[in-house]
């Protein structure tokens, strides 16, 4: 198993798509499944039938074996996922390796992207357990991409996975990521210029505007991709006009009409916050408010928790669904390292009531809350 993880919109799906396409061209792709809540592709019951179907299109002998399984047990697709996985994937491959070894000379790759977007947390862990249990029995290799969801991190960081699971973290805000953003902008803007060469000058877009996008992106490939898709949207056929809209937005203006170039990213942020349990959401929002308003006053996550009057369990429970957008230091670093938001676009999202809706953070209300908390803290000698 190769587990690729990283913050929201950092480019995990782009990596998964590229890997799947390369392996397909090489004849080594067994199957791929791309979870997506916004596109309603989040049902765990669809995964195994989809993988089985795609595998059947790759290998005729496997197709005949699976077809016979379905004939012998017409209700097999109504059975639980463990039974389907065993009888439709594992057992047929065992037969293939025994009777038709020439058809499975090299392992096939299966790509599962966005596993954290599966609508059933138990099913997410079940897929990991099923794959890990049978990893050595069949010639299949797995690439799993996800945000650093706390539950998946717990399961995939288990020592039992030390041999079978390799981890690769996609990071943002480093020099290489910034160069990747610049290359992406150059390539995609060139494509747009070529497409609209009768309307756009050869020096479009102005260099200072391209630098502005790169600066705001801060190595965030997902952010950059959203911006580029907005500018090149074929529905409008007006890349220069779309670029102007982006510049107003990225320059701090707020009147940009009914369409936001970050609409797709906003949907993702809304989904992240929607996953926070209702009974802890108010605490989560207070923590986020503190991180945004008090950027430099508190030196560690422990200080932040103490200031809010939260014990460690409550503090971390309130943050357990936010690892894709907020850096939460591990326990051993919580006394030296504070929380921080990965990308300014999340702060901007929370600041704008039109974008965040029910998750809007009113800064004045947040400051008033924290002023009261300061008074309470001082009265109890918490500030010494």
């Amino acid at each position: 198993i190769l587990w690729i993880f990283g913050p929201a919109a950092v480019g995990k799906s782009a990596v998964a798509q590229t890997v799947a396409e390369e392996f397909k061209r090489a004849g080594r792709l067994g199957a791929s499944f791309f979870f997506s809540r916004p596109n309603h592709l989040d049902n765990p019951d669809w995964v195994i039938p989809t993988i089985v179907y795609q595998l059947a299109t790759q290998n005729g002998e496997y197709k005949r074996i699976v077809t016979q399984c379905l004939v012998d047990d017409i209700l097999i697709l109504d059975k639980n996922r463990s039974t389907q996985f065993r009888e439709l994937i594992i057992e047929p491959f065992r037969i293939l390796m025994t009777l038709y070894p020439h058809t499975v000379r090299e392992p096939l790759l299966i790509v599962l992207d966005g596993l954290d977007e599966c609508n059933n947390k138990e099913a997410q862990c079940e897929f990991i357990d099923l794959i890990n249990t049978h990893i050595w029995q069949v010639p299949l290799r797995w690439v799993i991409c996800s945000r650093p969801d706390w539950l998946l991190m717990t399961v995939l960081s288990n020592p039992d996975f030390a041999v079978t699971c390799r981890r690769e973290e996609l990071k943002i805000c480093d020099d290489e990521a910034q160069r990747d953003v610049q290359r992406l902008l150059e390539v995609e803007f060139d494509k747009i210029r070529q497409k609209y060469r009768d309307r756009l000058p050869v020096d479009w877009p102005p260099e200072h505007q391209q630098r502005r996008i790169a600066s705001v992106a801060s190595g965030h490939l997902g952010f950059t991709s959203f911006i580029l898709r907005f500018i090149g949207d074929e529905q409008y056929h007006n890349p220069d006009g779309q670029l102007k809209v982006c510049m107003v937005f990225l320059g701090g203006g707020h009147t940009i009409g009914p369409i936001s170039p970050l609409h797709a990213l906003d949907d993702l942020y809304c989904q992240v916050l929607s996953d926070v349990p209702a009974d802890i959401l108010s605490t989560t929002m207070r923590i986020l408010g503190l991180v945004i308003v008090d950027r430099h006053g508190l030196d560690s996550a422990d200080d932040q928790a103490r200031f809010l009057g939260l014990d460690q369990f409550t503090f971390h429970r309130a943050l357990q669904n936010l690892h894709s957008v907020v850096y939460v230091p591990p326990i051993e670093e919580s006394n030296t390292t504070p929380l921080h938001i990965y990308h300014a676009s999340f702060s901007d999202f929370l600041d704008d009531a039109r974008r965040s809706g029910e998750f809007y953070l009113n800064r004045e209300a947040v400051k008033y809350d924290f002023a009261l908390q300061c008074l309470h803290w001082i009265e109890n000698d918490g500030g010494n």
Side-chain angles (χ1 to χ4, degrees):
I1 303 172
L2 171 60
W3 178 35
I4 300 173
F5 63 95
V10 75
K12 299 181 297 297
S13 291
V15 171
Q17 186 67 46
T18 300
V19 169
E21 290 173 357
E22 290 292 332
F23 272 72
K24 185 174 183 178
R25 279 193 285 270
R28 298 285 301 281
L29 181 67
S32 61
F33 190 96
F34 289 75
F35 286 96
S36 173
R37 286 181 181 173
N39 294 320
H40 308 293
L41 295 173
D42 57 358
N43 190 334
D45 292 335
W46 298 344
V47 177
I48 294 174
T50 300
I51 291 175
V52 170
Y53 171 78
Q54 293 182 27
L55 286 170
T57 65
Q58 305 297 315
N59 189 303
E61 298 299 339
Y62 172 85
K63 180 179 180 180
R64 280 188 281 274
I65 296 169
V66 168
T67 300
Q68 190 59 51
C69 289
L70 295 170
V71 170
D72 294 340
D73 186 356
I74 60 174
L75 298 178
I76 193 169
L77 294 179
D78 294 327
K79 294 183 177 179
N80 60 48
R81 287 182 290 271
S82 178
T83 299
Q84 290 182 31
F85 191 86
R86 185 179 63 255
E87 296 187 10
L88 294 177
I89 296 178
I90 303 305
E91 292 303 326
F93 266 94
R94 283 179 172 173
I95 295 173
L96 278 179
M97 290 187 293
T98 301
L99 300 180
Y100 312 102
H102 63 283
T103 68
V104 285
R105 289 174 180 167
E106 295 182 303
L108 295 174
L109 181 72
I110 297 180
V111 177
L112 292 181
D113 178 61
L115 183 58
D116 55 290
E117 295 194 42
C118 173
N119 65 21
N120 184 315
K121 295 288 186 183
E122 293 181 0
Q124 294 174 19
C125 295
E126 182 183 19
F127 284 128
I128 300 298
D129 286 336
L130 287 172
I131 294 167
N132 189 59
T133 299
H134 300 285
I135 194 78
W136 302 112
Q137 301 174 19
V138 293
L140 297 175
R141 301 293 179 265
W142 301 78
V143 168
I144 298 172
C145 300
S146 78
R147 290 175 282 180
D149 179 275
W150 70 276
L151 186 58
L152 288 176
M153 289 185 74
T154 299
V155 173
L156 285 165
S157 297
N158 189 304
D160 291 341
F161 284 85
V163 176
T164 60
C165 182
R166 175 181 171 185
R167 300 161 185 78
E168 291 289 344
E169 181 178 8
L170 295 187
K171 298 180 180 179
I172 59 176
C173 298
D174 57 15
D175 291 341
E176 183 59 34
Q178 194 65 13
R179 286 193 290 271
D180 288 342
V181 163
Q182 192 61 50
R183 283 193 291 267
L184 179 61
L185 288 171
E186 291 170 359
V187 169
E188 294 304 318
F189 276 137
D190 184 61
K191 289 180 181 178
I192 294 173
R193 276 196 305 272
Q194 292 299 321
K195 185 172 183 178
Y196 296 97
R197 55 183 176 273
D198 59 328
R199 308 183 200 178
L200 299 174
V202 294
D203 59 350
W204 182 93
E207 186 176 344
H208 72 277
Q209 293 184 341
Q210 186 165 320
R211 285 200 308 268
R212 175 60 179 163
I213 295 173
S215 174
V216 173
S218 299
H220 199 298
L221 285 173
F223 178 94
T224 309
S225 296
F226 287 132
I227 293 292
L228 286 166
R229 281 197 294 270
F230 180 81
I231 294 171
D233 193 334
E234 294 183 358
Q235 180 179 346
Y236 298 95
H237 289 289
N238 184 16
D240 192 53
Q242 296 293 90
L243 176 62
K244 287 183 172 65
V245 171
C246 288
M247 287 301 102
V248 171
F249 182 85
L250 299 180
H254 296 291
T255 307
I256 63 172
I259 302 171
S260 166
L262 294 182
H263 177 70
L265 193 56
D266 289 353
D267 286 345
L268 188 55
Y269 287 151
C270 280
Q271 185 59 61
V272 168
L273 291 168
S274 296
D275 284 342
V276 177
D279 66 321
I280 199 74
L281 179 60
S282 61
T283 301
T284 302
M285 299 307 291
R286 287 188 75 220
I287 296 172
L288 290 174
L290 176 63
V291 174
I292 291 172
V293 172
D294 187 58
R295 294 180 184 271
H296 305 293
L298 297 169
D299 296 327
S300 71
D302 285 351
D303 287 343
Q304 291 168 322
R306 280 193 294 269
F307 176 78
L308 294 172
L310 301 174
D311 60 69
Q312 195 174 72
F313 174 81
T314 303
F315 186 74
H316 283 275
R317 178 171 179 256
L319 296 166
Q320 68 183 18
N321 291 90
L322 300 186
H323 286 255
S324 61
V325 290
V326 177
Y327 176 73
V328 183
I331 297 296
E332 61 271 17
E333 298 177 14
S334 63
N335 63 338
T336 58
T337 308
L339 304 177
H340 69 259
I341 290 172
Y342 277 119
H343 194 267
S345 62
F346 187 51
S347 301
D348 296 340
F349 164 82
L350 294 171
D351 271 337
D352 191 331
R354 294 172 303 174
R355 294 173 61 194
S356 52
E358 64 180 301
F359 303 114
Y360 170 58
L361 274 178
N362 184 308
R363 281 185 179 250
E364 295 308 311
V366 170
K367 290 176 181 177
Y368 179 76
D369 177 26
F370 295 150
L372 293 178
Q373 190 65 31
C374 282
L375 291 174
H376 176 73
W377 200 35
I378 293 170
E379 289 172 355
N380 290 275
D381 295 324
N384 291 335

